[in-house]
Amino acid sequence: MMAKPAATAEQAEVLETHAPAPAGPVKKLGGPAIWFDERIGLAKLGKASLRKVFPDHWSFLLGEIALYSFIVLLLTGLFLTIWFKPSMGEVEYHGSYQLMRGLAMSQAFESTLQISFDVRGGMLVRQIHHWAAILFMAAMTAHMLRVFFTGAFRKPRELNWLIGVGLLSLGMIAGMTGYSLPDDLLSGTGLRFTDGAIRAVPIVGTWVEFFIFDGEFPGDAIIARFYMAHILLLPAILLGLIAAHMALVVYHKHTQFPGPGRTEKNVVGYPLFPVYAAKAGGFFFIVFGVLILMGATMSINQVWLYGPYNPAQVTAGSQPDWYMGWVEGAVRIMPGWESHWGPTTWSWNVFVPFAILMGIFYTALGIWPFVESWLTGDKRPHHILDRPRNAPTRTALGVAGMTFYGLLWAGGGNDILATQFSLSLNSVTWFLRFAVFVGPVIAFLVTKRMCLSLQRADRERVLHGSESGILVRSQIGGYSEPHVPISVDEAFTLTQHRQYTPLEATPTEDEHGVKLKGPGTVSGLRAKLSAWYSGYDVAKPTAAQIAESHHHGDEDTPALPH
Amino acid sequence: MRSGSSRRRHKAARPFAVALALVLMGALYAVLSPATQVAADTGMSAQVAEGKGLFQVTCSSCHGLNGEGSSQGPSLIGVGAASVDFQMSTNRMPMARPGQQAPRRPVTYTAEEIAAIAAFVQSLGPGPAIPPSSAYDASNLDAEAIARGGELFRSNCSACHQAAASGGALPNGKYAPSLHGVEPLHIYEAMRTGPQQMPVFSAGAIPDEDVASIIGYLKELEQQPSAGFSLGGLGPVTEGFFGWVVGIGGLCLVAVWIASRGARAK
């Protein structure tokens, strides 16, 4: 009876990957397989990949949600291109939606209405496509958080992390271009936002704006240009990056959570064929099914409510899709600062929250693996994942980043928050102006303390065992709860991780006064940051302490009076 | 001619001519005179008197005994019967409690009571009268006129009331309310009187037939089916919320289930 056992990795059966006997072409399969084997070496290919082992954990499936959403996006997108007309040429609407009858609109918007109302299944596919885009970005974000908090970006996977950051930012641009294509009032307003953000970039902004829009906003080229980017350029780059991303996963082998039998040199899990193929294949159909359900039952982007784009109109509640929401929020809560120097205007109110903020955010994401390795001085490869508590500063930084992001996110919907929760729009904005700076600091401190407390609890658990759940009353009326020792497997899981000693500063000059520089030297600043990063860990129990505690435990359990 | 002159000398000719002249003049007056007073003339003073009594009980603590206004509420001289009808028929007035804005609530006054107070306020000074239903009747509009109403709505109203008329935020806790389920009469009155934060859209800016088009569009919009659950009709914020909760949340549950199943049944 162990109350609250610590969550350790499941003790899955270790499956040895046996190499099949070196025989000729596959014998059981008939003619076609042999035909292919003789031409493209199918058997060799299959031998290598079919036995590839993947570990099991629910969070490893987040990336798969993103992959499957992308496949759904390609399939539904293909359907939509059959009818969509990427033209800003003006037409008069005579389709079946009566409330737009006779209105002047672009061909892009007219064909969007046609897909929605006149093409069989068009509305469903449009909605699936949009939900898949929402899910694609959300799954990539969740997957990235999983990779971050478990340290799966460490050597040798830094390049794959960078590819992931590239996928995330390109996915955002792909979503933004797709959002603009229907040419409804909302997408046009979003485009106007993008236009303003580009224009706010000092010196080159206006030039870039004219280059992208082929003149003044909105011009008559942008839909066709975005269409090219949205259906050709970006999907091609995304596809290539996804292929590289997955090839690297296969090459590096998948990471695994710590547990008995799991080492840096093996992977414990199920082989690709048949178990993992069935799981992953089944999951594809589930993701597809959930997206179809969402498309069928939940309305999304009802463009006919917004009407055709007209630069003179802006509707209340104009918002970007969620992945641009945090940038929208930053722009909304930024004070309206602007400088006029000579003939130039510097729009800090847009440039800072848009270009600078996004630049800092994606740069910080991209360089993090290298920063962390610089802080810890750790150059070893890692295939066993961290439990987030065992990297407290990283975990705290991650939660601080999420808090920052979340508060900006709330800023992007400040009007919805105000109307739905009867708040003052101004109060929400002013609160967020301070909270985006204070909130992450609080989140950092709280998370770090929680991680250290969890480390302490792990240490206690290893040394003193688990609560037995049995209360013993002594003859003199005292109560106590005897502890029972935890299993060896659990003790291993709780103590297998490596703890870092902060880097020590090395002398800056040798005995001749010559400045020392080189890969082995550690500056004073780096030593300080290293101590800040990994100097607070609760020391995990040593083998001697564990042995001693077991001995100690034998004596005083149960705590009966003498 | 002869028969005509004999008719002229008929003894009934004079009274008949007078009656004819009166009818002609009356008809001419009815056609040409501005229809400022819609409420029936008969019993008008009684209605005003009743309205004054009600006004002094329900409105005067803020608007003053004679509608002259106080530190608690604005003067009602010249706001017109339409304003009173809008505020009281949606039960924004009397206000339940002081606040940035009076919300729409289920009506508690009878139509007669509201009409009496409206007549009293109208008697304080001329203002927009309660319009006849012909002024905002949208039942005979064709599809083009309704689509035009949609364009007018998006150009003039959606900046505050949102494109789907779901409402939107204004500074300092004020808001533009949702227009779903609002009576056509009240939409007309709101445009002409500019209640609370709303600007006045006068007949010179938006003539009656355009108001009717806007009303027609809004009423048609309410009839339109949504492509699935509307998720509040609030746009991308709620869509993103549901995408995370239903999409990621639901699929995470499935992922936990998949990962907990081994190759062999346990």
Side-chain angles (χ1 to χ4, degrees):
Chain A
M1 258 184 73
M2 281 209 290
K4 293 190 290 174
T8 61
E10 287 160 53
Q11 297 157 31
E13 189 185 351
V14 181
L15 291 183
E16 296 293 332
T17 49
H18 300 289
V26 181
K27 282 184 183 121
K28 275 189 180 170
L29 298 177
I34 295 167
W35 193 91
F36 276 110
D37 184 38
E38 285 171 356
R39 280 156 185 83
I40 55 172
L42 199 67
K44 213 176 170 188
L45 214 69
K47 240 191 305 187
S49 58
L50 290 182
R51 302 295 296 169
K52 190 90 190 166
V53 167
F54 287 93
D56 241 357
H57 190 270
W58 70 267
S59 68
F60 299 164
L61 298 176
L62 290 169
E64 283 186 25
I65 300 177
L67 174 68
Y68 301 149
S69 306
F70 185 70
I71 294 172
V72 173
L73 279 170
L74 291 181
L75 293 175
T76 50
L78 190 70
F79 178 93
L80 295 174
T81 54
I82 299 173
W83 286 281
F84 181 72
K85 297 187 191 113
S87 159
M88 295 173 90
E90 197 170 85
V91 290
E92 197 171 296
Y93 182 68
H94 290 292
S96 53
Y97 185 66
Q98 290 297 299
L99 297 189
M100 296 278 161
R101 171 147 273 195
L103 290 191
M105 57 181 64
S106 67
Q107 276 192 305
F109 187 61
E110 188 207 25
S111 58
T112 308
L113 290 179
Q114 189 208 353
I115 291 170
S116 301
F117 295 114
D118 301 304
V119 173
R120 191 176 294 269
M123 177 85 85
L124 177 66
V125 176
R126 243 199 78 219
Q127 298 208 134
I128 295 173
H129 191 74
H130 204 140
W131 280 121
I134 299 263
L135 192 65
F136 177 55
M137 292 302 297
M140 278 204 288
T141 306
H143 172 63
M144 185 200 72
L145 290 173
R146 196 281 294 170
V147 168
F148 179 83
F149 284 115
T150 57
F153 53 79
R154 291 171 297 172
K155 187 181 171 185
R157 294 181 179 77
E158 302 99 321
L159 281 177
N160 223 11
W161 170 262
L162 284 175
I163 292 176
V165 173
L167 279 168
L168 192 70
S169 48
L170 282 175
M172 196 173 80
I173 299 173
M176 197 271 287
T177 51
Y179 176 95
S180 303
L181 287 182
D183 204 24
D184 61 299
L185 183 52
L186 195 59
S187 71
T189 307
L191 206 50
R192 186 53 154 166
F193 178 101
T194 312
D195 170 59
I198 294 170
R199 197 185 281 189
V201 176
I203 317 291
V204 297
T206 318
W207 186 85
V208 175
E209 180 209 9
F210 271 57
F211 175 71
I212 292 177
F213 287 87
D214 195 22
E216 277 277 3
F217 176 89
D220 50 17
I222 193 66
I223 296 284
R225 290 181 175 188
F226 270 23
Y227 185 66
M228 179 280 292
H230 184 73
I231 72 155
L232 182 75
L233 184 64
L234 291 167
I237 301 175
L238 282 172
L239 206 58
L241 287 180
I242 289 173
H245 200 66
M246 295 179 60
L248 281 176
V249 169
V250 170
Y251 175 71
H252 290 139
K253 299 177 184 64
H254 206 288
T255 50
Q256 55 188 343
F257 277 105
R262 298 171 182 210
T263 70
E264 294 283 8
K265 296 212 161 60
N266 73 356
V267 184
V268 179
Y270 293 111
L272 177 66
F273 190 83
V275 179
Y276 212 77
K279 285 191 177 213
F283 196 45
F284 168 70
F285 288 109
I286 289 172
V287 172
F288 206 164
V290 165
L291 281 172
I292 291 173
L293 273 178
M294 290 170 80
T297 59
M298 289 154 55
S299 72
I300 184 163
N301 194 22
Q302 306 191 66
V303 288
W304 54 94
L305 294 181
Y306 298 111
Y309 182 54
N310 174 347
Q313 303 169 349
V314 177
T315 161
S318 288
Q319 243 93 9
D321 274 347
W322 77 261
Y323 42 85
M324 290 298 286
W326 66 288
V327 182
E328 167 91 12
V331 173
R332 285 188 184 200
I333 67 173
M334 177 79 188
W337 295 337
E338 206 173 77
S339 305
H340 300 274
W341 293 330
T344 60
T345 302
W346 297 67
S347 295
W348 307 114
N349 49 355
V350 180
F351 180 58
V352 171
F354 189 81
I356 294 198
L357 179 78
M358 283 214 287
I360 290 175
F361 185 77
Y362 284 103
T363 308
L365 279 182
I367 64 171
W368 175 252
F370 310 101
V371 171
E372 188 182 298
S373 140
W374 182 75
L375 287 171
T376 57
D378 186 359
K379 307 288 179 210
R380 286 178 298 262
H382 292 277
H383 301 288
I384 298 279
L385 295 171
D386 277 331
R387 299 172 76 212
R389 69 188 62 178
N390 290 333
T393 313
R394 178 210 294 150
T395 304
L397 281 173
V399 175
M402 285 169 71
T403 309
F404 179 69
Y405 188 100
L407 287 166
L408 289 179
W409 218 4
N414 59 357
D415 56 332
I416 305 289
L417 289 178
T419 53
Q420 297 307 301
F421 299 102
S422 303
L423 301 169
S424 159
L425 185 64
N426 304 44
S427 310
V428 173
T429 304
W430 273 104
F431 170 78
L432 289 172
R433 279 176 180 173
F434 292 99
V436 287
F437 296 107
V438 179
V441 175
I442 296 173
F444 177 87
L445 295 173
V446 169
T447 310
K448 190 160 181 181
R449 293 336 292 180
M450 281 172 67
C451 286
L452 294 177
S453 294
L454 286 167
Q455 285 188 356
R456 210 166 284 121
D458 281 352
R459 183 187 158 87
E460 285 290 304
R461 194 170 167 83
V462 172
L463 289 180
H464 301 296
S466 155
E467 290 168 355
S468 62
I470 300 167
L471 284 184
V472 178
R473 193 177 77 166
S474 69
Q475 286 162 350
I476 56 166
Y479 288 91
S480 62
E481 185 187 14
H483 284 207
V484 292
I486 58 172
S487 70
V488 176
D489 286 352
E490 192 186 344
F492 171 80
T493 308
L494 295 183
T495 54
Q496 50 74 40
H497 59 284
R498 196 189 298 269
Q499 287 191 314
Y500 294 107
T501 21
L503 298 173
E504 301 271 346
T506 53
T508 51
E509 293 176 348
D510 66 5
E511 64 271 26
H512 308 296
V514 179
K515 275 200 171 178
L516 284 171
K517 263 190 168 181
T521 56
V522 176
S523 68
L525 174 71
R526 187 178 166 195
K528 269 183 196 152
L529 286 171
S530 182
W532 166 78
Y533 186 77
S534 48
Y536 295 89
D537 280 347
V538 175
K540 66 178 187 181
T542 60
Q545 284 171 324
I546 295 173
E548 202 266 335
S549 77
H550 283 169
H551 187 62
H552 171 72
D554 290 341
E555 280 172 0
D556 67 354
T557 50
L560 292 171
H562 301 288
Chain B
M1 286 296 280
R2 209 170 270 178
S3 58
S5 64
S6 67
R7 271 183 203 165
R8 273 206 300 274
R9 281 194 292 274
H10 196 276
K11 62 179 174 186
R14 275 187 187 174
F16 183 77
V18 171
L20 188 71
L22 280 173
V23 168
L24 265 175
M25 287 305 290
L28 263 176
Y29 178 77
V31 169
L32 297 177
S33 79
T36 48
Q37 300 285 321
V38 174
D41 268 334
T42 50
M44 182 65 180
S45 53
Q47 194 187 27
V48 168
E50 187 202 344
K52 185 169 187 179
L54 280 166
F55 185 90
Q56 288 176 343
V57 174
T58 52
C59 321
S60 63
S61 57
C62 297
H63 293 291
L65 279 171
N66 291 303
E68 72 275 17
S70 74
S71 61
Q72 300 299 308
S75 161
L76 298 185
I77 295 166
V79 300
S83 184
V84 176
D85 186 58
F86 173 82
Q87 298 281 359
M88 294 196 68
S89 299
T90 57
N91 208 14
R92 286 180 165 84
M93 293 288 152
M95 254 174 133
R97 59 188 141 82
Q100 285 289 7
Q101 201 166 319
R104 186 166 118 206
R105 290 174 298 149
V107 66
T108 49
Y109 287 80
T110 64
E112 290 76 31
E113 287 167 335
I114 293 169
I117 297 176
F120 168 67
V121 170
Q122 183 76 335
S123 77
L124 296 176
I130 299 168
S133 64
S134 59
Y136 52 86
D137 180 29
S139 55
N140 298 321
L141 296 176
D142 58 4
E144 269 83 4
I146 288 177
R148 196 177 120 72
E151 272 301 272
L152 288 166
F153 178 79
R154 284 187 288 276
S155 296
N156 295 290
C157 321
S158 72
C160 297
H161 286 287
Q162 201 244 13
S166 302
L170 297 174
N172 292 318
K174 297 163 188 160
Y175 59 91
S178 161
L179 301 180
H180 299 298
V182 178
E183 293 292 321
L185 169 65
H186 298 151
I187 296 173
Y188 181 97
E189 287 172 340
M191 290 178 70
R192 293 292 187 242
T193 63
Q196 306 201 23
Q197 320 308 325
M198 186 162 161
V200 172
F201 293 87
S202 66
I206 300 187
D208 277 1
E209 58 263 32
D210 286 350
V211 176
S213 288
I214 292 173
I215 290 168
Y217 175 74
L218 288 173
K219 292 297 126 187
E220 281 291 325
L221 201 60
E222 285 176 16
Q223 305 296 319
Q224 293 297 319
S226 171
F229 294 116
S230 71
L231 312 182
L234 296 172
V237 171
T238 43
E239 288 162 7
F241 177 79
F242 278 90
W244 272 92
V245 172
V246 176
I248 294 294
L251 286 169
C252 277
L253 293 179
V254 175
V256 168
W257 174 69
I258 288 179
S260 70
R261 297 282 153 175
R264 299 173 196 89
K266 281 176 184 168

